[in-house]
Amino acid sequence: MHSLSVILITKNEAANIRACLESVAWADEIIVVDSGSTDETVTICKELGATVQEHDWPGFGVQKNRALGYATKDWVLSLDADERVTPELRAEIETVLRNGSASVAYLVPRLSNYCGRFMRHSGWYPDLLPRLFKRGKARFSDDLVHERLIIEGDTKVLKGMLLHYAFDDLEEVLHKVNQYSSAGAAMMQRRGRKASLSGAVLRGLWSFMRTYVLRGGFLDGREGFMLAVSNAEGTYYRYLKLMLLNRKHK
């Protein structure tokens, strides 16, 4: 049977990390790269048998590649601290480890929770993500945010789901909107992108329409409307911040 490394990056994830690590306690090793947690994250990780490495924060892509660099097993499962591996997904992963595979990576469907509701529309489901891969056959892009897994070879799709507890409340939503819009604006500026106030407004409106209408967010009830609004805000602020960064740079 092939072996499995689980890799995560963390900062102040004490509220999530125990349930996450307990869902993969069966893995051969768990690697956590932490970037200066001031809560009990590191203590909990060590208590549950994870190997913890501490680093500065260079952005999501670079940090995940650091975690990947510490992995030593045949296969790698990349998780976020607010995710949980279901028993069904565990069984499928163990089948891959036991039988081997001609594919080098697997996409995993993810069901995400937004302010207490699992979202089955709004573009959030099934949210297929490449998470299981052979070590040495994939790496993460170096993007500050919204990093991609670059895979060398064929992929297949698993049926078992990841559960994703994305946002517990609106305070967390607003924090992430600010954090991700700043990182996204910085990344776009590095790529030479331009933005204007009117463009930021139009992109925000389009983001709302795409989430709520085209992707069926209205079927997710009031949370679907809330998500569409927060997506619009994130898009609007990302391009507005890009406009201001470019002005400051000039």
Side-chain angles (χ1 to χ4, degrees):
M1 187 167 180
H2 294 161
S3 54
L4 177 69
S5 299
V6 174
I7 61 172
L8 302 96
I9 61 173
T10 59
K11 182 175 183 180
N12 293 336
E13 291 287 357
N16 289 309
I17 196 63
R18 183 178 297 278
C20 177
L21 296 188
E22 287 177 346
S23 76
V24 290
W26 44 274
D28 296 285
E29 71 175 2
I30 300 174
I31 305 294
V32 175
V33 171
D34 186 80
S35 55
S37 289
T38 56
D39 61 8
E40 297 299 310
T41 297
V42 172
T43 300
I44 295 170
C45 290
K46 291 180 178 179
E47 173 191 331
L48 295 177
T51 299
V52 180
Q53 306 289 343
E54 300 189 50
H55 284 275
D56 62 343
W57 177 251
F60 283 92
V62 173
Q63 196 78 326
K64 288 191 175 183
N65 279 326
R66 284 174 171 173
L68 178 57
Y70 288 112
T72 64
K73 305 306 179 183
D74 304 315
W75 285 79
V76 177
L77 176 65
S78 175
L79 294 180
D80 293 337
D82 56 4
E83 295 174 338
R84 321 279 187 266
V85 172
T86 60
E88 295 78 13
L89 179 56
R90 172 187 175 175
E92 283 190 279
I93 292 172
E94 289 182 327
T95 297
V96 171
L97 298 178
R98 183 168 52 250
N99 297 336
S101 173
S103 298
V104 301
Y106 286 86
L107 303 177
V108 177
R110 185 172 71 167
L111 180 62
S112 296
N113 190 292
Y114 181 91
C115 295
R117 182 185 184 121
F118 281 107
M119 309 292 280
R120 295 188 176 274
H121 307 91
S122 305
W124 269 30
Y125 184 79
D127 194 20
L128 292 171
L129 299 169
R131 290 302 185 86
L132 178 68
F133 54 92
K134 289 182 179 179
R135 187 167 62 89
K137 293 296 184 180
R139 64 177 299 277
F140 296 94
S141 65
D142 290 334
D143 296 318
L144 288 174
V145 67
H146 301 309
E147 71 289 345
R148 298 169 294 107
L149 188 64
I150 302 167
I151 301 166
E152 301 174 9
D154 296 330
T155 63
K156 288 184 178 179
V157 180
L158 297 178
K159 296 179 180 179
M161 288 190 298
L162 275 177
L163 296 182
H164 180 213
Y165 292 86
F167 301 103
D168 290 331
D169 52 43
L170 283 178
E171 289 294 329
E172 189 174 359
V173 172
L174 294 173
H175 173 72
K176 287 290 182 68
V177 164
N178 185 49
Q179 179 185 26
Y180 279 74
S181 61
S182 294
M187 187 168 63
M188 289 193 296
Q189 187 193 37
R190 291 180 183 179
R191 295 173 177 172
R193 297 285 298 277
K194 306 296 181 182
S196 64
L197 177 59
S198 59
V201 171
L202 290 173
R203 287 178 183 274
L205 290 173
W206 167 244
S207 178
F208 176 87
M209 292 297 295
R210 181 177 57 193
T211 302
Y212 195 66
V213 179
L214 298 181
R215 294 179 173 175
F218 62 91
L219 297 171
D220 284 320
R222 63 184 181 186
E223 287 81 9
F225 182 82
M226 291 160 58
L227 174 60
V229 170
S230 63
N231 282 351
E233 287 181 323
T235 302
Y236 168 72
Y237 284 121
R238 183 167 69 252
Y239 282 91
L240 194 63
K241 289 177 180 181
L242 173 61
M243 181 190 75
L244 295 175
L245 283 174
N246 286 337
R247 178 188 297 176
K248 184 177 180 180
H249 181 71
K250 288 180 180 179

